Amino acid sequence: MDLARTEVAARRRGNAARLGLMALPVAFFGLFFAYPVAAILARGLRVDGVWRLGRLGEVLAQSDIRHVLWFTTWQALASTVLTLLIALPGAYVFARLDFPGKQVLRAVVTVPFVLPTVVVGTAFLALVGRGGLLDELWGVRLDTTVWAILLAHVFFNYAVVVRTVGGLWAQLDPRQEEAARLLGASRLRAWRTVTLPALGPAVAAAALMVFLFTFTSFGVVQILGGPTFSTLEVEIYRQTSEIFDLSTAAVLTVVQFAAVGAILAVHAWTVRRRETALRLVDASGTARRPRGAGQWALLAGVLASIALLLVLPLAVLVQRSFDAPDFAYYRALTSTEGNVFLVPPIEAVGNSLEYALAATAIAVVIGGLAAAALTRRDAGRLVRGFDALLMLPLGVSAVTVGFGFLIALDEPPLNLRATWILVPLAQALVGVPFVVRTMLPVLRAVDGRLREAAAVLGASPWRVWREVDLPMVRRALLVAAGFAFAVSLGEFGATVFIARPDNPTLPVAVAKLLGRAGELNYGQAMALSTILMLVCAVALLVLERLRTDRTGEF
Amino acid sequence: MHFKTFAAAAVGLGLVTLTACGSSAGDDGGSEGSKTVTLVSHSSWAVSKDVLAAFEKESGYKVRVLEDGDAGQAVNKAVLTKDNPQGDVFFGVDNTLLSRALDNGLFQPYEAKGLDQVDTRFQLDAGKHRVTPVDYGDICVNYDKQYFADHKLAPPTSYDDLIKPAYKNLLVTENASTSSPGLGFLLGTAAAYGDDGWEGYWKKLKANGVKVVDGWDQAYNDEFSGSAGGKKAKADRPLVVSYASSPPAEVIYGDPKPATAPTGVATGTCFRQVEFAGLLSNARNAEGGKALIDFLIGKRFQEDMPLNMFVYPVLKGAAVPAEFTQYGPAAENPATMDPAKIAADRDQWVKSWTSLVLK
């Protein structure tokens, strides 16, 4: 057998293997994403077997719906701009400056991102709401204004910018900028002509991710927005769960779907540009101790903004949870008195951990297979489309997914409605994109020639993966699992519908406690949030130790 | 060679499916055609333990309760899941949302034993028996007696009073699209001012500084200065949309118990709410569900209910606690509305109300 023919055979085998790898993720997304979403859309838009697409125009012509669309868009824009303004200096500081406690601080700024939106809302309520810290100090209350929402969004997304932009920034060769300065460029000019263009795609990608997350914001707006402010996602929830206008909800879902699709398409484009254009260096060698008054001032400013915007809300949350003698709020978590739940609220911790572990396992299997299938750069259009598809659950209304699960997965052979697996399945949907985005850059960095060599020597694709890929991606796999775990732990939008009333998860329990008046309920919500925050923070600190030298896209 | 990959994938999918099926069998085993009967309700459901235990002992059924959010959400979720319901009996759909449940075929007919002892004015589905009335109450504006005494101002008594300048910025109510007292108050004004007048009334109410919050708990316990919770939270609204039974609740739960109720009811602002229970269409344990519905209109439950859920019994001759008659008698002429009228106009009213008051 001559060499060329062996190579062709190997490539063909590679393609077949890739299709094989994609089978499970495709089946998973088909069953647990596309089918439920289609079912709930059909329920709203199909009357007597006929699609009523005219509803689209009718709904969009309503002034209050247009008002929601307008608010959704402008608050997302404002949140994105504000987040960039506050977080970009942070990205620089984390990328270029060395200071004691940097690793811990990097974990600290990432904590908010994996915190459940419910906890974020709660923390801001404790800070800027009635009887909150600002209210007590200066009589300032922001909970009925849009500022509370914007600040909570900055809090939530700070890490997205620091990780995406800062991660790349740390890998840019500082010598290029120095060379420009030697050639006579001013500091600003060197930065503008050398660093900024290199960072541009990363900034754009981060901005788009922040825009996506704030455009589809649910928990934060639900808790801080009161009855007046409503994003598309919150409106879908209201129309379905409260007003029971399924056709309006379906139209809004379609609108959100289109918007998210557009955002993701642009995002994928910026990511591709970022991947190809740059020559990167090892991040560990680019940071230095701060020099000069300017850098010290910048560092101080960034630390102050982190303390005020990220640490303070969490600190207030923790403080409120201890705001009763003898840990009364924590002790109350173990009793069934008070009637909010049939089980002691502390059981929600156990429920959540079990669900999150199952969700993580599913997400790692599905996301890992998908990432492996997407690894090759010469992947065709089909595969690239698949890549974008995997991101969709991040932006498609979790509320829609939750309702879709309720009505679609209740008949044999998919009678899952009454089973516990439903919750982990929904959570895994949100976890998979994180797994894929963490694994993909690392897998792509594995030299393809190693795989080819192994294949030519007769190794099966499975063996190639086990002997070549796995040893190199083991750490990335753990990081991905950690992210999936934290995200699953905090998932709220879908879980709130499908978690059974006698098996609440932590975020569902927090939201329920917050919905009840009374000091003890509020205190218990704070205590549960604190526990949830601790679990997430520990998971992250472990991740920080496992950090791969390649940055993921989050 | 790639067979192995497929095999791995197949095993993976198989595992997911297997775990799903395994737990499905385990979970359903308890309620399948068995001695467990499941009641789906809203979060205000409450019953004395011994009363429920007595029913379980006599009937031989074990009762499992699923509290599923507030009243409106619980109804909507029940409608969405009606083909494969979460339980056997649904309790807590009221006259304002009844048509949504009935039009969607949520319930199957069952004529409860003892229904002849239930006052006929509450039997809004008497011909078909898809639902059984269980309790009623009146949604009324409550006032903080202390505030009006301090300000030497007479408390309001009617809808008209609420738009007078003397009562500016005093009232807090609930979102009519998310809360059943909020919706009841809206329907009360619609009954009082008619199809052409209610929007004008709400414009004036808005101009007079009415505040809208999402739920009853927030309105009553956070914003209303007359409630025990509101006093602690330094609330500043002395008027709130709540229930006629709220003043007795303030006394019963008072610590220490006050001699008289700290709050009163504006009797001209009441709207009657009747709550129903029904046997779910695809109930797995229909027999148990029927026994449970009989129990809900039985004397023991009916007399236990007022102090647990602060509503009135529908059963003729059921005793009402002394605190109720003493501190907050039921309204004499509450506004009511024909269920057919509510069914026809409710959604449009809520929509217009939302645009008018919230946006």
Side-chain angles (χ1 to χ4, degrees), chain A residues 69-121:
Chain A
L69 277 173
W70 166 237
F71 176 74
T72 307
T73 312
W74 88 250
Q75 67 78 26
L77 267 177
S79 299
T80 308
V81 170
L82 205 59
T83 308
L84 285 176
L85 277 179
I86 295 173
L88 277 177
Y92 170 79
V93 164
F94 277 105
R96 288 290 197 238
L97 299 184
D98 235 344
F99 52 94
K102 183 169 148 182
Q103 264 213 352
V104 175
L105 201 64
R106 201 205 305 270
V108 167
V109 303
T110 316
V111 168
F113 181 64
V114 295
L115 277 188
T117 50
V118 180
V119 175
V120 177

Side-chain angles (χ1 to χ4, degrees), chain A residues 300-324:
Chain A
V302 164
L303 292 181
S305 70
I306 289 175
L308 266 179
L309 266 167
L310 273 64
V311 178
L312 185 64
L314 296 179
V316 173
L317 186 75
V318 176
Q319 183 259 325
R320 293 275 142 128
S321 77
F322 289 108
D323 209 6

Side-chain angles (χ1 to χ4, degrees), chain B residues 276-296:
Chain B
F276 303 87
L279 186 61
L280 288 165
S281 283
N282 296 295
R284 279 193 207 92
N285 185 356
E287 286 315 305
K290 288 173 184 171
L292 186 59
I293 292 177
D294 296 346
F295 163 69
L296 292 180

Side-chain angles (χ1 to χ4, degrees), chain B residues 4 42 49 57 67 97 106 179 184 206 216 251 276-277 279 309 312 321 328 355:
Chain B
K4 275 189 187 165
H42 50 61
K49 277 193 177 118
K57 202 169 163 214
E67 292 176 17
L97 288 178
L106 185 59
S179 141
K206 191 180 180 186
W216 175 85
V251 177
F276 303 87
L279 186 61
M309 293 194 270
Y312 290 83
S355 304

Side-chain angles (χ1 to χ4, degrees), chain A residues 382-413:
Chain A
L382 184 76
V383 172
R384 231 190 278 150
F386 182 57
D387 189 3
L389 197 73
L390 288 174
M391 295 287 283
L392 272 181
L394 275 188
V396 168
S397 160
V399 175
T400 307
V401 174
F403 273 117
F405 269 41
L406 272 190
I407 66 164
L409 303 179
D410 69 337
E411 279 167 27

Side-chain angles (χ1 to χ4, degrees), chain A residues 13 16-17 19-21 23-24 27 32 40 43 55 62-64 67-68 130 141 222 226-228 230 235 237-246 248 337 339-340 342 362 365 369 403 406-407 410-411 415-421 425 458 460-462 496-502 512 515-519, chain B residues 1-2 4-6 8-10 12-13 16-17 19-21 23-25 27-28 43-46 49 64-70 72-77 79-86 97 100 104 175 177-178 211-214 217-218 221-223 232-236 284 347 350-351 354-355 358-359:
Chain A
R13 213 156 52 194
L19 283 176
L21 290 172
L24 185 59
F32 301 121
I40 188 84
R43 183 77 176 256
R55 281 295 290 157
Q62 293 168 20
S63 67
D64 42 346
H67 179 90
V68 169
R130 165 200 286 282
R141 285 182 53 190
Q222 177 84 329
T228 342
S230 175
E235 194 63 24
Y237 166 79
R238 286 188 180 157
Q239 293 290 344
T240 316
S241 161
E242 286 154 7
I243 301 169
F244 209 61
D245 185 344
L246 294 182
T248 299
E337 294 297 312
N339 244 335
V340 176
L342 301 165
I362 300 173
V365 170
L369 286 173
F403 273 117
L406 272 190
I407 66 164
D410 69 337
E411 279 167 27
N415 186 4
L416 306 178
R417 247 264 325 288
T419 69
W420 67 275
I421 194 79
L425 282 173
S460 68
W462 167 246
V496 70
F497 298 106
I498 54 183
R500 295 194 334 190
D502 50 351
K512 207 166 169 186
R516 287 281 179 116
E519 250 176 284
Chain B
M1 279 301 178
H2 57 263
K4 275 189 187 165
T5 322
F6 281 121
L13 186 61
V16 174
T17 324
T19 26
C21 294
S23 76
S24 144
D27 270 3
D28 282 354
S43 48
S44 312
W45 160 262
K49 277 193 177 118
R64 196 167 72 105
V65 180
L66 292 184
E67 292 176 17
D68 213 357
D70 67 28
Q73 279 173 28
V75 172
N76 297 342
K77 198 164 154 185
V79 169
L80 277 177
T81 56
K82 75 180 161 96
D83 294 337
N84 181 4
Q86 292 186 298
L97 288 178
R100 183 177 295 164
N104 281 289
N175 188 344
S177 71
T178 57
K211 178 170 186 177
V212 181
V213 297
D214 256 326
D217 244 315
Q218 210 184 339
N221 289 318
D222 276 356
E223 303 280 347
K232 259 188 207 158
K234 301 193 187 82
D236 52 10
R284 279 193 207 92
D347 290 348
V350 170
K351 217 169 212 173
T354 307
S355 304
L358 290 184
K359 304 290 169 179

Side-chain angles (χ1 to χ4, degrees), chain B residues 129-292:
Chain B
H129 298 300
R130 290 166 296 185
V131 288
T132 306
V134 174
D135 66 70
Y136 74 95
D138 292 313
I139 292 162
C140 315
V141 170
N142 283 208
Y143 59 85
D144 175 1
K145 286 182 181 167
Q146 186 74 45
Y147 175 91
F148 288 99
D150 289 350
H151 288 75
K152 304 209 173 8
L153 182 66
T157 59
S158 65
Y159 292 120
D160 273 339
D161 282 351
L162 298 175
I163 52 176
K164 289 179 179 160
Y167 304 103
K168 195 172 173 71
N169 296 333
L170 301 188
L171 176 66
V172 57
T173 185
E174 299 86 359
N175 188 344
S177 71
T178 57
S179 141
S180 83
L183 178 57
F185 186 57
L186 166 61
L187 294 178
T189 61
Y193 295 95
D195 290 354
D196 303 323
W198 74 268
E199 286 186 273
Y201 175 77
W202 274 93
K203 273 182 198 149
K204 287 179 198 153
L205 205 54
K206 191 180 180 186
N208 213 29
V210 64
K211 178 170 186 177
V212 181
V213 297
D214 256 326
W216 175 85
D217 244 315
Q218 210 184 339
Y220 191 78
N221 289 318
D222 276 356
E223 303 280 347
F224 176 48
S225 61
S227 69
K231 283 195 184 82
K232 259 188 207 158
K234 301 193 187 82
D236 52 10
R237 297 251 160 182
L239 295 174
V240 66
V241 171
S242 186
Y243 295 91
S245 55
S246 302
E250 285 295 333
V251 177
I252 292 163
Y253 282 133
D255 184 25
K257 264 190 194 182
T260 58
T263 59
V265 162
T267 49
T269 61
C270 294
F271 181 82
R272 178 140 298 173
Q273 188 184 28
V274 184
E275 274 192 305
F276 303 87
L279 186 61
L280 288 165
S281 283
N282 296 295
R284 279 193 207 92
N285 185 356
E287 286 315 305
K290 288 173 184 171
L292 186 59

